[in-house]
Amino acid sequence: MMNIRKSFSTKLALGILLLAIPIFILSLGVLFTQSRHIIHKEAINRANSMLNTTMQRLCRNLTTIETATNTNSWLVIQNLHPDSLLALTNRIVRFNPHIDGCSISAEPNVFPQYGRYFSVYSIRESDSIKSVVEEKYEYFEKVWYKTAHDLGKPCWVDFYDETDSLELTLPGLIASYSKPIYDANNHLIAIISTDLSLYHLNKIISEEKPYLHSYYMMVDQKGRFFIHPDSTRLFNQTIYSDVDPRKQADLIALGHEMTTGVTGRMNVIIDGEPCVVCYQPVPNTSWSLAIVCPDNDILKGYHQQTYIIIPLIIIGLIAILLLCYRSVTHAIRPLNQLLVKTQSIAEGNMEVYIPRSTREDAVGQLQNSFATMLQSLNFHMGSVRYSTEQAKQRNEDLAKATRLVQEADSQKTTFIQNVTHQIRTPLNIIMGFAQILVDTNSEGLSEEEKKSIADTLDHNSKLLNRMVLMLYDSSETGLSEELMETNKHDMVSCNDVAQEAISYTKQHYPDLTINFQSEVNDDFCIWTNRLYLMRSLREVLYNSGKYSDGQHISFRITSTDTTVQFIVEDTGKGISEADRKDIFKFFTKVDDLSEGLGLGLPLAKRHAHNLGGDLTLDENYHDGCRFIVEIPLF
């Protein structure tokens, strides 16, 4: 056993043998054992389905004939007159295309002027309908009359009506629905019979068939054929005719099943050919309909499998060759892999992996030895690589920290320079005008000059005060002293706080035009911090007054079920898409040369957040800027 496990050639031979045997067993076994069963099962299902469809079509036609007969039978009693009866049969045939003929045959002496016999008959001939009063003959013994007369109820009968001396007949095999008609005293007065010819019946049944040589047959309760492809058997032979009970017991069993009204299927030899026969009785009749499917048709595809066997054998041989190649390749694959990977290691590439083998032969042992050696090398190389990566990461972290410190120092220097410049400008103006007032006798100045100096001093002092407050607000606490002292909520009138924000803005920009519109009433109030809200609205209005054309500023107030919106819209150059992401960042200005510290909009947004709302820029507005301050109602 150990020799077999370590012998390469023996393992290869056994592997090829074990792989070849299952392929042929499975291929040929499945082909010859399953195909016949599947084909027969499919043929039975197909035949049954076709038989059911044909039966439904036949029943619809028979039901139509029954309905037409039953519907018009009462007219016989209402119009019991020879001419009326003749017109009635014509009417039934004319308006019912499924009916080939109709007769009304009276009981003896119902019409004394005609004596014992009176029968009217209408027949469909091509596109015309002919109606006659039949010649006197003994129709009382005809099956279509006698059966309904004896049973006393409607019934279907079949009979063979040969052309005779009568003026008008429907020759050939006929299926007839006969119904007795009674007068008010329950006396039989006539038999109405509607006929369906064999040709018409056969056309209805044979519209579809599952196989090329399959066919339908119909027998009555005596086993007589009145639907069959061999016309010589119709009504002259039964299903038992010329049957040898010893050799054709299956055909006798089929006849018994059909004549007793049983539904089923059988494998039967008919005319020396094996066939599958599915059968079922025709409702409300004594007939049975069957579909016969010869095995030659059913197994036509099965018999053609010889054309498949040859390609299958070729494919099997090719499969054996491929499996042999696969077996050999699999056997020597570890050697090829070791060769490729050792060459790669020799070239200095240590990023290779040699898996361990479960084989006990020399190839397996060699592979495992190389795997152990490579694992040791990778461990040591990994330690060196880890140390190198750690050092590299620390150097990157130091470089990043240095860069952040440099950026922070640069930002600090820039901000201090900006603050110095922005504060120095109003201070210089204030100091300059103060010096003018000191050096110049105030009495020598006109009132207009005094007012101009006072307005200038007031404007710059407010500007200076605004910058100082924003610096307080941007501190680590995020609150100026004024905000800290009034950090409380109260009911605030939206219109009042808006008017106050407008007044504040006009103090800085007296010539500014602001169109104020409000959709809320003056007594509409919200629960919020008045000063926070005031600061946000001031900054947005101040920003519009500063950067717009100063003539088309709109300030609107709208409300929803949960919020109130303060919308400030202006016409101007607006904010470019590239700068929109930075407008709410602290110490950031779109234009470095413009006035301000880059704190107005960020502080306004922070105040809105502190109130549970938000400040946003409507990016769908392109004629300037549209800012929306949204504050919750409660």
Side-chain angles (χ1 to χ4, degrees):
M1 187 68 181
M2 293 297 293
N3 292 332
I4 293 176
R5 294 181 63 185
K6 294 182 179 181
S7 175
F8 176 77
S9 59
T10 303
K11 290 171 64 177
L12 179 60
L14 289 175
I16 294 173
L17 182 61
L18 292 175
L19 290 172
I21 291 175
I23 290 176
F24 277 95
I25 290 177
L26 289 175
S27 299
L28 299 178
V30 170
L31 178 65
F32 287 101
T33 59
Q34 295 297 321
S35 296
R36 188 180 188 91
H37 174 72
I38 293 173
I39 293 172
H40 260 287
K41 185 176 180 181
E42 181 183 355
I44 292 169
N45 293 335
R46 185 177 178 185
N48 273 321
S49 176
M50 192 68 69
L51 180 62
N52 290 333
T53 302
T54 302
M55 183 64 73
Q56 291 176 5
R57 190 165 55 248
L58 174 61
C59 289
R60 282 198 302 270
N61 282 270
L62 297 181
T63 302
T64 301
I65 295 173
E66 292 175 6
T67 302
T69 305
N70 296 332
T71 302
N72 290 280
S73 61
W74 67 274
L75 294 174
V76 176
I77 302 173
Q78 297 294 325
N79 301 277
L80 193 60
H81 186 272
D83 293 337
S84 299
L85 296 182
L86 184 63
L88 179 60
T89 60
N90 185 284
R91 180 176 182 271
I92 292 174
V93 176
R94 182 179 304 278
F95 291 103
N96 295 278
H98 299 289
I99 297 176
D100 295 310
C102 177
S103 68
I104 300 177
S105 302
E107 281 285 279
N109 301 313
V110 170
F111 299 106
Q113 65 271 32
Y114 287 94
R116 175 178 172 81
Y117 306 101
F118 177 78
S119 177
V120 294
Y121 189 54
S122 293
I123 185 173
R124 188 187 305 277
E125 291 185 352
S126 186
D127 296 333
S128 62
I129 297 174
K130 295 183 178 181
S131 301
V132 296
V133 176
E134 294 188 289
E135 298 176 4
K136 295 179 181 181
Y137 72 101
E138 191 64 23
Y139 57 78
F140 303 110
E141 297 301 323
K142 296 292 185 180
V143 65
W144 51 268
Y145 189 97
K146 183 176 178 58
T147 304
H149 180 276
D150 295 343
L151 293 176
K153 62 180 181 179
C155 61
W156 278 97
V157 297
D158 55 273
F159 60 95
Y160 191 81
D161 193 4
E162 296 181 352
T163 303
D164 50 26
S165 59
L166 296 179
E167 180 181 350
L168 192 63
T169 60
L170 185 65
L173 187 59
I174 297 173
S176 182
Y177 178 71
S178 300
K179 179 180 180 179
I181 299 175
Y182 297 89
D183 61 11
N185 297 319
N186 203 26
H187 292 151
L188 180 66
I189 60 174
I191 300 292
I192 181 172
S193 177
T194 49
D195 301 333
L196 178 65
S197 72
L198 169 65
Y199 173 77
H200 197 170
L201 188 63
N202 188 62
K203 183 179 179 182
I204 294 172
I205 293 175
S206 303
E207 286 185 0
E208 296 181 11
K209 54 184 180 179
Y211 299 99
L212 180 62
H213 299 100
S214 60
Y215 59 89
Y216 292 93
M217 65 179 182
M218 185 182 291
V219 299
D220 61 11
Q221 60 184 354
K222 296 180 181 179
R224 292 180 301 180
F225 292 108
F226 63 97
I227 292 293
H228 196 280
D230 185 359
S231 59
T232 60
R233 299 185 182 185
L234 297 178
F235 224 71
N236 294 321
Q237 296 184 15
T238 69
I239 196 171
Y240 307 109
S241 299
D242 301 326
V243 174
D244 186 349
R246 293 174 299 176
K247 298 181 181 180
Q248 295 176 292
D250 53 352
L251 192 58
I252 294 176
L254 174 63
H256 177 73
E257 292 274 300
M258 293 182 67
T259 55
T260 55
V262 178
T263 299
R265 68 169 182 85
M266 292 183 66
N267 295 322
V268 183
I269 297 178
I270 300 177
D271 297 331
E273 183 177 357
C275 301
V276 174
V277 182
C278 298
Y279 49 89
Q280 59 179 279
V282 180
N284 301 322
T285 69
S286 60
W287 312 329
S288 181
L289 178 65
I291 184 169
V292 181
C293 301
D295 273 9
N296 285 337
D297 279 4
I298 296 173
L299 299 176
K300 184 178 180 180
Y302 181 80
H303 294 153
Q304 293 177 347
Q305 285 188 1
T306 53
Y307 298 106
I308 302 175
I309 293 175
I310 295 176
L312 184 63
I313 294 175
I314 296 174
I315 293 173
L317 293 175
I318 295 174
I320 291 176
L321 294 176
L322 292 175
L323 290 172
C324 289
Y325 175 77
R326 182 180 178 85
S327 298
V328 173
T329 303
H330 178 73
I332 66 173
R333 182 182 298 168
L335 295 177
N336 293 330
Q337 292 177 345
L338 287 175
L339 177 61
V340 173
K341 292 182 178 181
T342 51
Q343 289 176 346
S344 180
I345 293 172
E347 294 173 357
N349 179 20
M350 303 300 296
E351 298 295 332
V352 295
Y353 171 71
I354 299 178
R356 291 190 171 275
S357 175
T358 57
R359 296 171 56 171
E360 297 182 4
D361 54 13
V363 175
Q365 294 176 8
L366 179 62
Q367 180 176 345
N368 291 336
S369 298
F370 270 93
T372 302
M373 180 183 67
L374 181 61
Q375 184 178 3
S376 299
L377 289 174
N378 283 334
F379 175 77
H380 294 292
M381 293 297 293
S383 299
V384 174
R385 189 182 300 109
Y386 178 76
S387 300
T388 303
E389 290 178 353
Q390 289 294 314
K392 181 180 178 181
Q393 183 64 40
R394 284 194 293 270
N395 290 335
E396 290 178 354
D397 292 342
L398 289 174
K400 183 178 180 180
T402 302
R403 186 169 60 256
L404 291 175
V405 170
Q406 290 174 349
E407 290 178 356
D409 183 66
S410 175
Q411 282 186 343
K412 180 187 70 174
T413 301
T414 302
F415 177 68
I416 291 175
Q417 290 175 350
N418 187 32
V419 169
T420 302
H421 172 73
Q422 296 295 335
I423 293 178
R424 184 170 57 191
T425 299
L427 280 178
N428 288 338
I429 294 174
I430 293 173
M431 292 173 62
F433 279 100
Q435 186 66 36
I436 291 173
L437 293 175
V438 171
D439 296 340
T440 305
N441 185 1
S442 60
E443 296 178 356
L445 298 174
S446 65
E447 292 298 326
E448 184 178 352
E449 291 175 334
K450 291 179 181 181
K451 184 178 184 305
S452 177
I453 292 173
D455 290 342
T456 303
L457 292 173
D458 180 67
H459 173 75
N460 284 277
S461 63
K462 288 179 179 178
L463 185 62
L464 187 60
N465 180 65
R466 178 174 175 273
M467 286 189 287
V468 172
L469 288 177
M470 284 196 295
L471 288 173
Y472 274 118
D473 288 349
S474 64
S475 64
E476 293 182 358
T477 61
L479 299 171
S480 66
E481 294 179 357
E482 183 181 11
L483 289 174
M484 292 175 63
E485 292 175 359
T486 59
N487 189 13
K488 63 180 182 177
H489 284 58
D490 200 356
M491 297 303 294
V492 178
S493 172
C494 294
N495 290 342
D496 288 348
V497 75
Q499 292 289 356
E500 187 175 342
I502 292 173
S503 299
Y504 172 82
T505 305
K506 287 191 175 183
Q507 290 177 6
H508 291 272
Y509 300 100
D511 298 330
L512 190 65
T513 300
I514 300 177
N515 180 21
F516 176 67
Q517 297 177 353
S518 177
E519 297 180 4
V520 300
N521 297 326
D522 291 340
D523 57 354
F524 182 83
C525 298
I526 59 175
W527 181 260
T528 188
N529 185 289
R530 181 184 184 86
L531 194 54
Y532 276 178
L533 180 58
M534 176 66 67
R535 287 288 179 85
S536 294
L537 297 180
R538 283 179 181 177
E539 291 302 332
V540 175
L541 284 171
Y542 187 90
N543 190 72
S544 293
K546 180 178 179 181
Y547 292 106
S548 72
D549 60 2
Q551 300 298 320
H552 300 87
I553 298 177
S554 172
F555 186 14
R556 292 184 288 116
I557 302 177
T558 63
S559 64
T560 64
D561 293 339
T562 58
T563 62
V564 61
Q565 294 181 341
F566 300 87
I567 303 172
V568 178
E569 180 182 302
D570 61 57
T571 301
K573 64 179 182 180
I575 301 173
S576 65
E577 292 186 6
D579 296 328
R580 289 177 182 177
K581 64 180 183 299
D582 298 325
I583 61 174
F584 294 115
K585 292 182 180 180
F586 281 93
F587 312 116
T588 301
K589 297 194 299 181
V590 175
D591 185 0
D592 292 335
L593 300 178
S594 62
E595 178 186 318
L597 301 176
L599 297 175
L601 289 177
L603 286 174
K605 189 175 183 69
R606 188 166 74 180
H607 293 334
H609 282 172
N610 291 336
L611 297 177
D614 198 6
L615 168 62
T616 57
L617 173 66
D618 186 356
E619 297 186 359
N620 295 322
Y621 182 75
H622 302 290
D623 294 334
C625 291
R626 179 189 288 158
F627 287 95
I628 302 173
V629 179
E630 189 170 30
I631 305 298
L633 295 177
F634 303 101

